[in-house]
């Protein structure tokens, strides 16, 4: 296959080139056009931009157990439609991914579906109950790429320290959802002006920050790496920035909703704005953007959290937390960060592909000869409107409905095979 006349996004910036794919890998990147060979598949990429295949290291696929919300097949379709060639799925399923059997099931089912690459993330504790460590060695052998208790934090600090030690013995990192439940205590939104206005129960930034601080201090004391999930507070960004400055091996992620929306979005009680951690204030949104710019926040993930309409069509306090994000993440990020001049295309590629690959030790994340031909081909000039009811994900729960964005995924190529092609009809 050859992708002709493409603007390709590399570490050094954007340049016009042809990309030759052979045996599932990038065989050649050339600036001078060459004659195409017989039987060669030619993708005319004039006016299109090729990014290294996007990688989302924080996705909820809901299978096994919650297939009404999403399953591996529907989640994979949403991923490739969103331009993702690799995704990592969180273990808060039923049963929980806390042993090699469930982990192997995920990898086997992902191969059967055969769209994007799917890497399971194992739970830190058995059943995510926070009592005893899960069977980490077996899960590693079955393909988990990290450990996480996502949805909550491991409350017992000694157990968390042990988790970091055991994880490191198996070459794994802990991805930490940071929340002190005594402080968040059943709240639905951020504590502030809009919680007062709506009468909805609010949660302090400290509910997130105290746990970010604990994970940073544990990692520092043990001299081990740690990754902070979905950073939403200005104070959390500052804690991570300071930890990085003194050499703590910390990496961090955020999501499009934290750098685009604020808690003002909750004022109409739209339960699609209910997410954990909650949408914060403008001060936080700006700090998250600053963190992305100065490298404090390494990557952008979706925290794709699809829910059934029945879980959202209830009063705000009772609604499930989460946003269905795979099909909008690239365009939202491109529009908010690159169109505005805050990041370059190469920096966006790093946040959405290079950094996640490095953090988890995955192959890919860069357009270079010899790398797997995982490619995301987009039209950056195409403007479109987000229509959640047209999502292929089962989760239509998005607060971005009606929003105009730039950047349309045209093809998603995984190991040299086209796994998604935009249907124009
Ligand atoms: O909003 C969220 N949804 N935050 C989480 O931590 C969990 C996730 C889910 O599983 O629905
Ligand atoms: Zn989480
Ligand atoms: Zn999550």
């Amino acid at each position: 296959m050859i992708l002709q006349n493409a603007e390709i996004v590399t570490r050094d910036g954007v340049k016009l080139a042809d990309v030759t794919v052979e045996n599932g890998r990038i065989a050649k990147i050339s600036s001078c056009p060459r004659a195409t060979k017989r039987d060669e598949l030619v993708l005319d990429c004039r006016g299109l931009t090729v990014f290294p295949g996007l990688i989302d290291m924080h996705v909820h696929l809901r299978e096994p157990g919650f297939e009404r919300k999403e399953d591996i097949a529907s989640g994979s379709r949403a991923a490739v439609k969103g331009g993702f060639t690799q995704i990592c799925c969180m273990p808060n399923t039923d049963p929980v991914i806390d042993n090699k059997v469930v982990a192997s099931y995920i990898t086997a089912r992902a191969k059967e579906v055969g769209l994007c690459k799917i890497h399971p993330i194992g739970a830190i504790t058995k059943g995510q109950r926070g009592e005893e460590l899960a069977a980490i060695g077996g899960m590693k052998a079955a393909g988990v790429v990290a450990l996480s208790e996502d949805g909550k934090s491991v409350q017992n600090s000694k157990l968390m320290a042990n988790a970091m030690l055991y994880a490191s013995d198996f070459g794994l990192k802990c991805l930490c959802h940071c929340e002190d439940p005594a402080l968040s205590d059943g709240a639905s939104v951020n504590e502030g002006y809009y919680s007062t206005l709506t009468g909805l129960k609010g949660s302090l930034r400290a509910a997130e920050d105290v746990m970010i601080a604990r994970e940073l201090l544990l990692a520092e004391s043990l001299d081990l790496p740690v990754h902070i999930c979905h950073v939403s507070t200005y104070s959390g960004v500052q804690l991570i920035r300071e930890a990085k400055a003194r050499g703590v091996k910390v990496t961090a992620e955020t999501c499009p909703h934290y750098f685009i929306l604020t808690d003002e979005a909750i004022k109409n009680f739209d339960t699609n704005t209910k997410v954990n951690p909650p949408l914060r204030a403008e001060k936080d949104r700006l700090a998250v953007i600053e963190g992305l710019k100065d490298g404090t926040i390494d990557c952008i993930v979706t925290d794709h959290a699809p829910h059934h309409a029945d879980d959202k069509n209830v009063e705000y306090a009772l609604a499930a937390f989460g946003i269905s994000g795979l099909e909008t993440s690239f365009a939202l990020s491109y529009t908010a960060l690159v169109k505005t001049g805050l990041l370059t295309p190469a920096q966006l590629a790093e946040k959405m592909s290079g950094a996640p690959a490095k953090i988890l030790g995955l192959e890919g994340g860069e357009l270079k000869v010899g790398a797997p031909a995982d490619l995301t081909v987009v039209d950056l000039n195409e403007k479109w409107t987000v229509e959640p009811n047209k999502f292929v994900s089962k989760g239509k729960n998005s607060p971005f409905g009606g929003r105009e964005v730039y950047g349309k995924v045209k093809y998603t190529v995984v190991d040299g095979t086209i796994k998604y092609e935009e249907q124009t009809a």
Side-chain angles (χ1 to χ4, degrees):
M1 173 162 71
I2 180 164
L3 292 88
Q4 279 184 327
N5 295 305
E7 296 279 355
I8 68 163
V9 183
T10 68
R11 285 268 150 84
D12 320 316
V14 183
K15 61 178 183 191
L16 195 66
D18 289 354
V19 180
T20 304
V21 172
E22 276 169 20
N23 303 318
R25 292 195 172 254
I26 299 174
K28 196 173 168 196
I29 297 176
S30 52
S31 46
C32 28
R34 63 160 173 83
T36 54
K37 296 176 203 142
R38 222 162 27 112
D39 300 335
E40 191 173 32
L41 175 62
V42 179
L43 280 193
D44 180 6
C45 292
R46 229 165 315 177
L48 303 181
T49 305
V50 181
F51 281 78
L54 305 180
I55 302 174
D56 189 347
M57 61 179 285
H58 189 149
V59 168
H60 297 268
L61 289 178
R62 307 300 192 203
E63 183 176 348
F66 304 103
E67 290 84 353
R68 205 167 84 117
K69 295 175 190 274
E70 192 79 291
D71 57 37
I72 292 170
S74 62
S76 297
R77 285 193 294 273
V80 293
K81 189 175 165 209
F84 293 98
T85 56
Q86 304 195 61
I87 59 176
C88 305
C89 60
M90 284 294 176
N92 59 342
T93 48
D94 184 15
V96 167
I97 310 176
D98 64 358
N99 63 74
K100 63 182 178 193
V101 179
V102 188
S104 315
Y105 169 76
I106 306 277
T107 50
R109 180 68 191 130
K111 285 212 180 78
E112 221 167 65
V113 169
L115 289 173
C116 58
K117 297 170 195 171
I118 298 180
H119 310 284
I121 295 166
I124 296 174
T125 70
K126 283 187 186 160
Q128 292 191 301
R129 283 187 298 272
E131 292 160 2
E132 51 182 329
L133 292 182
I136 298 170
M139 290 196 290
K140 165 78 186 190
V144 306
V145 293
L147 301 176
S148 180
E149 206 80 331
D150 192 48
K152 50 185 157 179
S153 291
V154 175
Q155 294 305 309
N156 181 318
S157 302
K158 174 71 182 164
L159 192 58
M160 190 61 203
N162 274 341
M164 287 185 187
L165 284 163
Y166 272 82
S168 123
D169 285 345
F170 291 102
L172 298 172
K173 276 178 200 167
C174 292
L175 320 180
C176 302
H177 168 116
C178 296
E179 178 176 355
D180 180 333
L183 282 171
S184 55
D185 190 27
S188 302
V189 298
N190 181 49
E191 168 83 44
Y193 175 79
Y194 288 99
S195 63
T196 306
L197 189 76
T198 55
L200 293 169
K201 186 169 175 178
S203 172
L204 294 171
R205 291 182 181 87
E208 180 173 347
D209 297 340
V210 295
M211 217 38 111
I212 293 180
R214 184 197 71 174
E215 310 303 31
L216 294 173
L217 294 171
L218 285 176
E220 184 168 17
S221 300
L222 297 167
D223 195 23
L224 289 173
V226 71
H227 177 83
I228 307 296
C229 289
H230 43 51
V231 178
S232 76
T233 64
Y234 79 88
S235 29
V237 175
Q238 186 58 15
L239 284 166
I240 296 163
R241 182 179 290 122
E242 287 162 6
K244 281 194 171 185
R246 59 177 196 272
V248 181
K249 295 171 185 142
V250 55
T251 51
E253 58 177 50
T254 193
C255 316
H257 38 276
Y258 300 120
F259 58 77
I260 295 174
L261 300 177
T262 65
D263 55 358
E264 188 188 351
I266 71 165
K267 71 181 179 201
N268 296 326
F269 299 91
D270 175 2
T271 58
N272 291 317
T273 63
K274 184 170 173 180
V275 62
N276 189 23
L279 301 176
R280 307 278 185 189
E282 181 65 1
K283 178 180 187 176
D284 302 284
R285 189 183 77 84
L286 295 174
V288 166
I289 291 177
E290 205 44 50
L292 283 164
K293 280 178 66 180
D294 73 9
T296 301
I297 301 179
D298 303 85
C299 58
I300 298 171
V301 302
T302 60
D303 195 6
H304 178 71
H307 287 292
H308 191 273
D310 291 352
D311 305 320
K312 286 288 195 180
N313 288 340
V314 291
E315 67 177 272
Y316 205 98
L318 301 177
F321 288 101
I323 291 173
S324 181
L326 284 170
E327 290 162 76
T328 52
S329 183
F330 177 79
L332 287 170
S333 302
Y334 175 74
T335 307
L337 301 174
V338 181
K339 266 285 207 194
T340 50
L342 294 163
L343 295 184
T344 63
Q347 286 171 320
L348 185 66
E350 184 63 17
K351 302 286 182 203
M352 298 191 73
S353 181
K358 265 178 267 165
I359 291 167
L360 297 178
L362 305 175
E363 217 192 352
E366 204 183 341
L367 285 188
K368 61 174 188 197
V369 172
D374 290 352
L375 312 167
T376 302
V377 184
V378 297
D379 183 345
L380 293 177
N381 297 313
E382 188 170 331
K383 189 159 98 171
W384 57 284
T385 303
V386 177
E387 291 177 273
N389 56 2
K390 293 201 179 146
F391 285 177
V392 296
S393 165
K394 290 186 195 177
K396 318 294 181 196
N397 49 303
S398 168
F400 294 107
R403 184 173 288 254
E404 286 194 331
V405 288
Y406 287 87
K408 196 95 209 267
V409 176
K410 298 290 166 178
Y411 303 97
T412 303
V413 177
V414 181
D415 287 334
T417 305
I418 298 174
K419 296 294 186 178
Y420 170 78
E421 179 172 359
E422 188 196 35
Q423 299 302 314
T424 43

